[in-house]
Amino acid sequence: MTTRIEMKDVHKRYGANEVIRGVNLKVEDNEVVVLIGPSGAGKSTVLRMMNGLETTTAGEILIDGVDIARPHVDIDKVRENIGMVFQHFNLFPNMSVQKNVTLAPVELGLMSQADADAAALRMLDTVGLADKAEAMPKTLSGGQKQRVAIARALAMQPDIMLFDEPTSALDPEMVGDVLEVMRKLAAQGMTMVIVTHEMGFAKEVADRVVFFEGGEINETGTPEQVFDHPQSPRLQSFLQKVLQA
Amino acid sequence: MNVKRWGIMGLLLAIVAILVVGKPGEPVQAAEKTYTVGTDVTFAPFEFTDKNNRQVGIDIDILKAIAKVEGFKLNIKATSFNGAVQELQAGQIDGVMAGMSITKERKEMFNFSDPYFKSGVVMAVAKNSKIKGFADLRGKRVAIKTGTAAGAYANSIKKKYGFTTVTFDDSNNVYQDVIAGNSAACFEDKPVIQYAIATGLDLRITKMKLADPNNYGIAVQKSDPEFLATLNRGLKKLRQTGEYDRIITRYLGNGSQKEQTEKAKAAGSTDHSFGTLLKQNWGTLMSGLQETLALTLVGIICATIVGVLMGLLGVVPSRWAQGTATTFIYLFRGLPLMVLALFIYTGVPMVIGTKIPAFVAGIITLTLNEGAYTAAFVKGGIGAVDKGQMEAARSLGLPWGRAMRRVILPQGIKIMIPSFINQFIITLKDTSILSILGLLELTQTGKIIIARNMQGFKIWAMVALIYLIIITLLTWLSNWVQRKVQA
Ligand SMILES: Nc1ncnc2c1ncn2[C@@H]1O[C@H](COP(=O)(O)OP(=O)(O)O)[C@@H](O)[C@H]1O
Ligand SMILES: [Mg+2]
């Protein structure tokens, strides 16, 4: 097994407020890690640190052995290999679906426009939206938008994908399609870190579940360990609350 | 950026270059020296514009005659008395000839030519006024012109006689204030008011003897003895040849009642209907409009370039860049346009020791002021784009600059378009403030025409109408562009 992501005693503070308090976390190749925990626990912050969208106050974040928490790292190069999907999709509203998908690979000189167009159509096909290539983002439903966002991230051919509550902003009937795409990715062996409140999905696809609480990792284990035999009282009460709903 | 866009940029820059460089560039003549002499817009009979909008008057004619006999090239620049004095101080011009009394204070600042005219202060009042002497002024208000010897004299005796003064930049406004009854009297140099009354001004000189007799001279910079010598030599020649007397008689006549009545009749019989006025002044107004449009166009282009660059600097994630942008915006948005214009035109040359042509000074003023506003809304427009857009672009591996150019700017510009249109219209209007530099743009043109024919209401109405028409056209054009861009 090779370690793809490793966080070593990572801290982050906003002024006097320490929001991440010494996190140690490893993600192996082809592993699917799901982060759960109450709102404000620091899940998004930790996830966004993994591709340098958030700065670090202390500690190391190694991506394939390179510490991206240090200054003067070529973060753009690192990001080419790490896709990210946001809660609110963040599609580029001034471009067609296809242009959204092809922008980065073409702009970075990885593909010609023609190759990128062909690849985009394949990518859109895998997320079930081949017919929407010409559409503008504002004409799409939330679920369709999120699937385009996934296709856009995949167009850079990353081998790590980060998801920050990808289904939280969707109507319930849209959630299934997006999860289906993520399930496929996991089955293909994509290394994935997912922040979600979809406990059923987590149980099904996760290799490991990490429970965050107050900026720290409170408990971690296989889905069976975490969901069926939670040890800490915090995790127990958290699961009680979310599973009741 | 594609080829077409570069083409348009290049074209615009070429226009700027031509307008900025080509404007003040008069053909250079190696042999003849060129002297620029500042004067007032209207200080009849010393300087004013005639019916055909030609600059005439005792000062103008004497200057031209000296230039002819002494063989130099003359450039007469009519700003305002005060403006001309400041320009001379700043070294922007070589001399001032504007019915200027030789006083002790002024002599400390400038050198004066030999006196060319004897004058003195008189008091003028409305036709039906009961005021006879200074004693009748107690508790009343007296109108004077900024920086004049008559004004200084009024101020020196106002305590003693218990009156207050109000100052105007223009003789015309001084007279109108008395006619309108706002001021009880005005103090003015005798030949000036004499001429104005002779040609129809509805005021009367009180029967008092000349107060504060003084001499008029041409002011030059202390550092320029050569020009001073040239002027004195020229004046002497004019007196010897009799040209001097001919000029004086041309404007002041022999003082006979008959002649004055004739002049008044000629002035009174002029047709002042709207149509005739428009026809008479059409050419002048249009040349003023042309200057206004040139200022506006070049100003908009320069301000937009500077403003966009500064606005972009304001969002670059670097403390130095943001500090520069913030300071630029704070400084030039905070300064009133007029202060900035005068600072650049009459202030800066004193320090750097080089003249700045009025047009260039005007453009720099607009660039800094309008550029600051532009920078502010460009910065704001970019800031108004959802943060998630930058994050999404960066997460795909795009560097900051490309993410800005390909993703953020296209969205930001849409947000900014209404602000751009607004700023273009404001720029057009703000060019009127540059009339303070003596630029012959639309507003200054209006001032000059009114100074001659006193038809304030009608001429300002015309000027206002022209501004409105141009602004309407500009708005239509902008809306059309906006529809194109946002489609
Ligand atoms: N830009 C910020 N400034 C100050 N505090 C922040 C900022 N972003 C997040 N936080 C704080 O950091 C903590 C963790 O936030 P987050 O990682 O978004 O939590 P989660 O994703 O688990 O809900 C929260 O208490 C939040 O208020
Ligand atoms: Mg979150």
Side-chain angles (χ1 to χ4, degrees), chain A residues 48 51 75-76 79 82 84 86 90-95 99 103-104 107-108 152-153 156, chain B residues 386-400 402 405-407 410-411 414:
Chain A
R48 289 156 56 83
N51 70 348
I75 193 70
D76 296 322
R79 282 171 180 158
I82 306 179
M84 184 159 201
F86 301 85
N90 299 352
L91 292 185
F92 308 136
N94 52 329
M95 302 174 199
K99 198 79 221 260
L103 178 75
E107 189 70 22
L108 293 172
R152 179 176 69 178
M156 288 296 294
Chain B
D386 179 14
K387 268 208 175 70
Q389 292 290 309
M390 181 53 103
E391 290 185 347
R394 293 306 303 275
S395 77
L396 289 166
L398 291 177
W400 184 88
R402 299 228 208 153
R405 196 151 59 81
R406 298 306 308 272
V407 176
Q411 298 181 53
K414 271 188 193 178

Side-chain angles (χ1 to χ4, degrees), chain A residues 38-52:
Chain A
S39 172
K43 307 180 297 294
S44 297
T45 306
V46 162
L47 191 76
R48 289 156 56 83
M49 281 173 159
M50 292 179 183
N51 70 348

Side-chain angles (χ1 to χ4, degrees), chain A residues 39-40 42-45 87 164-165 195 197:
Chain A
S39 172
K43 307 180 297 294
S44 297
T45 306
Q87 180 176 357
D164 192 358
E165 302 199 31
V195 176
H197 293 297

Side-chain angles (χ1 to χ4, degrees), chain B residues 99-116:
Chain B
M100 191 173 182
S101 308
I102 303 170
T103 65
K104 221 175 99 205
E105 294 84 41
R106 286 174 181 163
K107 265 168 128 171
E108 274 165 22
M109 225 170 334
F110 306 118
N111 278 341
F112 277 93
S113 69
D114 298 334
Y116 67 87

